[in-house]
Amino acid sequence: MNLSKPAVAPQKLTTVWGGLGAWNLYFLGKFLLTWTGHLNFQIVPNLIFALALLIPIAHPMLRRARTLLAIPVAVALLYQDTWFPPFSRLLAQPGVLNFSADYIIELLGRFIDWQVCALLLVLIIGYLFISPWLRLTTLTLLGFVWLSLGSLQALLPAPVTLPMASNTSGAATPVSSSGGEPDDATLNAYLDTFYKNEAQRKVEFKEPAVKPTPFDLLVINICSLAWDDLDAVGLRNNSLFSQMDVIFDNFNSATAYSGPAAIRLLRASCGQTSHAQLYKQPPDQCLLFDDLRKLGFTDELMLNHTGEFDGFLQEVRDQGQLPPPALGVIPAGLQRTYVGFDGSPIWRDRDVLSKWWQHRLNSNQPNMALFYNTTSLHDGNRQVRADGGTQPADYSSRAQVLLDDLNAFIKELQKSGRRVVVAIVPEHGAALHGDRMQISGMREIPSESITHVPVGLKLINMGDDGQTEPVHITQPSSYLAIAEIIARLYASPQLSNGQTVDWSALLKDLPQTAKVSENAGTVVLDYNGKPYVRIKENGGWLPYPQQLK
């Protein structure tokens, strides 16, 4: 009798391929946000992530471990696909910690797009309804194919890159042999050429043969004012700019942040530099107020705020070589009108400027140059009530008050009889409506809607020029053109003799500057009439999604 036991066949560990499962909802949601323009979906890292999730794993514990590891990866990948700056850049800005609680709550509310929330809710409901009946992994993989088709251009041979030409103003001009999209090498070469050309441009401040009649220069640097903002609140056609002698219709502030904008204006005597160069020792003859000092001007500084946030006051003084505020950091006898997003006081422009003007009239200096910075329009400002509390202050009302204050100040200058040149040069816009790349009030990316600012010049008590409306300069311009006009005004014999101003001669062949704007690590440039953005330093270029504004 055979007592041996029958052989038992070895068990096979079988694994059923389950697809992406609930991760389908993650990728389908990203496809939807990409379609609406809210994401810059990166094919390769997302595809690698999806393939890692598709690998079949039999052991339940290992599957749970993969899920736990995948969650933070999914969050990081989602952030990388957004238009937001690298998270390290946020950590490098300690001033964010000084935001008031009201402002933080307001900012968080701006991140919510209710239309997108509604679309995502529809997607979730659809997923819950369809997933029991259909394998949605196939649909997700088809989505990858769909997005990959739009990226095939990157696999094609790069277009021929032709050399950059230099126009008569010294700015780099793209030369193109086709209407195709430029590759990264082309745009990088264009940017390098632009900065090389700009490094060679300077404005000469010459002492004329006949000493000109003394006059004052008032440079009014306004935070958060762009043409786009004026359009948004219906104030493009206002009495302040309608009485200017010169209006720049196509002026580029070259940055979207206050400190760099002020430094660029204070270094207007030289061509535009990269952001990194702003914090290095400037070449000789680049500091506008230093050039004016050499011509006999006494330079002064005034703010309608403390300048403490992000070290603005110290930065302006160090990089522009300016003295301390003429009436102190906190002018005596003035009541605050607003409080800033960090809770600091902001005084009314009319009060600060009038107080400074009385100080100037009591001075015996023949020529004085003032750099005045105002944050009355900054995002997050709150109106101070009579009881000392605060309440929200919308941009439109604050902008109207600022325009009225500057109008009143110009009338005060006219009544004084002194010869004055007023230059209104905003820092950047307020980004009132935002776009698909950044929320309202966010200025990490210096888009054209933020850097296209209204710049005006007015000559007061310097002769009747017979003008009934401003002269408009339509060429692409930046700070170098401002410095050139100031230098010409000082050297103009007509102004010394009180004759009629010849604007055609004064404004002839002003230096032009191509549209290149830069924050720390982020660049936006105009190439062949189309804007391109590089979000990460040394990263790739993308067309700026104008159609999604």
Side-chain angles (χ1 to χ4, degrees):
M1 186 172 65
N2 187 1
L3 299 178
S4 62
K5 295 181 180 180
V8 178
Q11 279 190 330
K12 292 184 178 180
L13 188 63
T14 59
T15 301
V16 179
W17 183 66
L20 288 170
W23 286 105
N24 282 299
L25 185 59
Y26 171 81
F27 289 107
L28 292 174
K30 294 181 83 170
F31 295 158
L32 175 63
L33 293 175
T34 301
W35 177 67
T36 60
H38 288 81
L39 288 185
N40 173 35
F41 191 86
Q42 299 173 77
I43 294 292
V44 174
N46 279 279
L47 184 58
I48 293 174
F49 183 50
L51 293 176
L53 294 171
L54 281 170
I55 297 174
I57 298 178
H59 201 289
M61 291 296 293
L62 292 178
R63 286 201 302 270
R64 293 191 190 97
R66 179 176 65 178
T67 301
L68 291 175
L69 290 174
I71 291 174
V73 173
V75 173
L77 189 56
L78 176 61
Y79 188 88
Q80 186 178 4
D81 284 338
T82 67
W83 300 107
F84 299 145
F87 196 71
S88 59
R89 203 175 304 162
L90 178 63
L91 298 177
Q93 298 181 4
V96 174
L97 301 177
N98 295 326
F99 286 176
S100 66
D102 291 332
Y103 188 51
I104 292 175
I105 293 172
E106 181 183 342
L107 287 177
L108 291 176
R110 296 180 192 176
F111 279 94
I112 301 175
D113 187 324
W114 294 109
Q115 291 183 341
V116 172
C117 290
L119 288 174
L120 290 175
L121 179 61
V122 170
L123 176 66
I124 293 172
I125 295 173
Y127 172 81
L128 294 174
F129 180 77
I130 296 174
S131 58
W133 309 97
L134 298 176
R135 291 184 64 86
L136 293 179
T137 299
T138 303
L139 182 62
T140 299
L141 295 178
L142 288 175
F144 274 101
V145 173
W146 166 61
L147 291 172
S148 298
L149 291 176
S151 303
L152 286 179
Q153 182 67 31
L155 302 177
L156 300 177
V160 177
T161 303
L162 296 180
M164 303 295 157
S166 294
N167 59 28
T168 56
S169 65
T173 303
V175 180
S176 178
S177 61
S178 66
E181 293 285 350
D183 61 2
D184 289 349
T186 300
L187 294 174
N188 286 331
Y190 173 76
L191 182 63
D192 291 341
T193 302
F194 169 80
Y195 282 133
K196 288 178 182 177
N197 290 340
E198 289 294 301
Q200 303 172 13
R201 307 173 77 190
K202 290 184 179 181
V203 171
E204 298 289 339
F205 283 79
K206 299 178 180 179
E207 189 75 57
V210 179
K211 192 73 172 178
T213 305
F215 67 89
D216 295 335
L217 171 66
L218 277 56
V219 178
I220 300 177
N221 195 212
I222 304 174
C223 175
S224 303
L225 181 67
W227 287 114
D228 191 70
D229 303 319
L230 291 174
D231 287 335
V233 296
L235 290 175
R236 174 179 276 263
N237 298 318
N238 59 78
S239 58
L240 176 66
F241 285 99
S242 65
Q243 65 176 303
M244 293 290 109
D245 292 315
V246 179
I247 291 287
F248 284 86
D249 295 326
N250 204 5
F251 191 97
N252 181 36
S253 70
T255 184
Y257 276 109
S258 298
I263 295 172
R264 290 186 183 280
L265 176 54
L266 292 169
R267 296 184 182 181
S269 302
C270 288
Q272 184 173 322
T273 67
S274 66
H275 179 84
Q277 287 293 326
L278 288 179
Y279 298 93
K280 298 179 180 179
Q281 183 66 28
D284 293 338
Q285 199 186 318
C286 286
L287 296 172
L288 175 61
F289 278 71
D290 185 53
D291 291 330
L292 293 171
R293 276 195 298 269
K294 295 174 182 176
L295 297 178
F297 282 81
T298 300
D299 58 330
E300 291 201 341
L301 168 67
M302 279 298 297
L303 316 172
N304 79 328
H305 55 102
T306 63
E308 291 180 359
F309 182 78
D310 211 19
F312 176 83
L313 174 58
Q314 193 61 46
E315 188 173 87
V316 167
R317 291 192 56 203
D318 291 344
Q319 304 299 333
Q321 295 185 13
L322 291 178
L327 303 180
V329 175
I330 301 179
L334 299 184
Q335 299 295 320
R336 56 182 188 156
T337 300
Y338 308 109
V339 294
F341 55 87
D342 59 345
S344 62
I346 299 175
W347 299 278
R348 185 161 178 173
D349 295 286
R350 180 187 62 193
D351 297 339
V352 178
L353 287 169
S354 293
K355 191 175 183 67
W356 177 84
W357 185 241
Q358 292 306 312
H359 154 79
R360 193 274 169 270
L361 293 178
N362 293 330
S363 170
N364 58 3
Q365 302 295 333
N367 298 287
M368 190 167 283
L370 171 72
F371 180 81
Y372 175 74
N373 182 269
T374 170
T375 59
S376 296
L377 302 184
H378 197 288
D379 191 44
N381 288 354
R382 295 176 64 85
Q383 179 82 39
V384 177
R385 299 194 304 260
D387 61 2
T390 64
Q391 63 187 23
D394 65 281
Y395 183 91
S396 178
S397 63
R398 287 184 285 128
Q400 187 63 66
V401 170
L402 174 64
L403 295 172
D404 292 343
D405 282 359
L406 293 180
N407 268 323
F409 182 59
I410 286 176
K411 291 179 181 178
E412 186 176 351
L413 297 177
Q414 291 169 334
K415 289 179 181 179
S416 72
R418 287 196 61 86
R419 295 157 54 85
V420 183
V421 176
V422 176
I424 297 175
V425 189
E427 298 174 355
H428 53 71
L432 284 184
H433 57 57
D435 55 36
R436 292 298 187 231
M437 297 190 75
Q438 49 192 354
I439 63 170
S440 171
M442 187 176 181
R443 293 175 279 105
E444 187 64 31
I445 302 173
S447 64
E448 183 178 356
S449 63
I450 299 174
T451 62
H452 181 206
V453 297
V455 171
L457 295 173
K458 184 170 180 62
L459 275 59
I460 298 174
N461 301 323
M462 298 181 72
D464 182 13
D465 55 19
Q467 283 191 185
T468 57
E469 58 184 24
V471 177
H472 287 265
I473 299 175
T474 59
Q475 294 82 5
S477 308
S478 198
Y479 303 103
L480 198 69
I482 298 293
E484 180 65 31
I485 292 177
I486 294 172
R488 292 180 185 181
L489 283 171
Y490 185 82
S492 175
Q494 296 174 331
L495 298 179
S496 301
N497 299 327
Q499 300 173 2
T500 300
V501 179
D502 185 354
W503 288 106
S504 60
L506 189 64
L507 305 177
K508 182 180 179 181
D509 296 328
L510 285 177
Q512 301 178 29
T513 304
K515 294 179 182 178
V516 174
S517 302
E518 185 175 1
N519 289 345
T522 307
V523 184
V524 175
L525 59 79
D526 184 277
Y527 186 88
N528 282 337
K530 185 175 180 179
Y532 293 86
V533 58
R534 190 179 70 190
I535 301 175
K536 299 176 178 64
E537 197 166 357
N538 300 321
W541 292 88
L542 298 167
Y544 199 97
Q546 285 184 304
Q547 71 278 11
L548 297 171
K549 287 183 178 180

